[in-house]
Amino acid sequence: MHTEQSVKSKTAREKITSDFEKKVLEFFETIAGLFQFSVMFFKNVFIPPYEVEQIRKHMDELGIKTLPIVSITGFIIGLVLAMQTQPVLVRFGAEAFLPGSVGISIVRELGPVITALIFAGRVSSGIGAELGSMRVTEQIDAMEVSAVNPFKYLVVTRIFACTFILPLLTVYVIFIALFGSYIAVVLVQNMSIEYYIDAVVSAVEYGDAIPGVAKTFVFGFIVGVVGSYKGYTATNGTEGVGKASTTSVVISSLMILLFDMVLVKITLWLWPTI
């Protein structure tokens, strides 16, 4: 009996070890694959023909798909942030700084990062599922046989569209969030819209706005590369498509948070006075 339990325990340990090694191997394979995919993007992006119409089409689709959810989220974040910050500032007698402090938080960090995470959840999974379906149904193989470069036509255009539509969405969300915070301020204080705008404009500097929006180009690129990579390399039929869609969101979100930490550090190094 004791021997049988030892064998079962040993088998369980071996299985856990095997699963862990498999996950570690998959992790490093994904990192290597994303790096190769990024290199292929830069190799193809400057080679004609330039699929301008496809890029415009993807930017329209991605923007329209994401616009409703980022609008609602941006408004609520601005509203809640102002409602949470106001009692703290009142405690220290600094209630007049509410518009400025909320504005800096939204422009510097919350607007870009929240928009990027929502964009990753909405877009990266969609790209992964779309390209994954084309891969498992051999549509991508058919394009290669027809002398069409599927990487340039399907992948480069999507990555390009993600890279440039996310900063536009971020600017839009920042304004929506500031409007939401104004509504919260009006609910607790008798403040005019002119005074609120003056306070936000006085507090927010170029050193806050430019790095905040600029890093969303990197976030958009990450979303495009991860979604395209997982979809383009999908296998195992519909199960593989579902896995590509799910893992695209997870990897994109983690990479956005990781790169945000790095970019914040770089920003503080370049602009130590902000």
Side-chain angles (χ1 to χ4, degrees):
M1 185 67 180
H2 179 71
T3 304
E4 184 179 350
Q5 288 179 343
S6 299
V7 171
K8 288 182 177 178
S9 177
K10 183 179 179 181
T11 305
R13 284 199 301 271
E14 289 176 349
K15 185 176 184 306
I16 292 172
T17 303
S18 176
D19 290 342
F20 178 75
E21 290 174 348
K22 186 179 177 183
K23 293 292 182 186
V24 171
L25 184 62
E26 286 181 356
F27 171 77
F28 283 108
E29 285 179 349
T30 301
I31 296 297
L34 289 173
F35 178 75
Q36 290 178 343
F37 224 65
S38 301
V39 173
M40 287 174 63
F41 167 79
F42 286 110
K43 282 183 177 177
N44 282 271
V45 73
F46 298 109
I47 300 174
Y50 306 108
E51 304 288 352
V52 177
E53 183 57 29
Q54 279 296 310
I55 294 172
R56 189 199 61 76
K57 175 188 167 188
H58 291 315
M59 289 182 73
D60 285 346
E61 289 179 353
L62 299 178
I64 291 171
K65 280 181 180 177
T66 318
L67 202 59
I69 188 168
V70 296
S71 301
I72 296 170
T73 307
F75 180 81
I76 292 174
I77 285 175
L79 193 74
V80 172
L81 181 63
M83 293 173 68
Q84 289 277 16
T85 308
Q86 192 266 346
V88 178
L89 294 179
V90 169
R91 191 185 307 168
F92 295 100
E95 198 172 356
F97 295 103
L98 179 60
S101 61
V102 170
I104 291 174
S105 299
I106 291 172
V107 171
R108 271 192 186 183
E109 190 65 23
L110 288 178
V113 174
I114 295 296
T115 308
L117 291 175
I118 294 171
F119 189 74
R122 186 72 179 86
V123 171
S124 189
S125 60
I127 293 176
E130 190 176 7
L131 294 185
S133 299
M134 295 181 72
R135 170 60 74 187
V136 299
T137 56
E138 300 181 350
Q139 293 180 55
I140 294 178
D141 297 331
M143 292 178 71
E144 291 175 343
V145 173
S146 305
V148 176
N149 183 347
F151 188 89
K152 186 171 181 61
Y153 190 79
L154 299 174
V155 175
V156 172
T157 53
R158 283 172 169 80
I159 295 176
F160 204 90
C162 288
T163 303
F164 286 93
I165 195 65
L166 183 55
L168 298 177
L169 286 171
T170 300
V171 173
Y172 168 75
V173 169
I174 286 173
F175 281 104
I176 291 292
L178 290 175
F179 176 70
S181 69
Y182 170 70
I183 298 298
V185 170
V186 169
L187 292 176
V188 296
Q189 295 182 27
N190 185 20
M191 183 180 293
S192 67
I193 183 69
E194 291 82 6
Y195 181 86
Y196 176 83
I197 293 175
D198 287 342
V200 172
V201 171
S202 300
V204 178
E205 300 177 350
Y206 288 113
D208 302 311
I210 293 176
V213 176
K215 63 185 179 184
T216 57
F217 285 97
V218 179
F219 297 160
F221 180 78
I222 290 171
V223 171
V225 168
V226 173
S228 299
Y229 170 72
K230 299 304 291 185
Y232 202 77
T233 58
T235 55
N236 298 329
T238 54
E239 182 183 351
V241 174
K243 186 178 178 181
S245 177
T246 305
T247 53
S248 296
V249 178
V250 176
I251 296 173
S252 298
S253 301
L254 290 176
M255 289 187 68
I256 285 170
L257 296 175
L258 178 64
F259 272 80
D260 181 52
M261 183 177 64
V262 175
L263 293 172
V264 167
K265 191 68 177 175
I266 293 174
T267 302
L268 293 174
W269 178 64
L270 293 174
W271 288 280
T273 56
I274 66 173

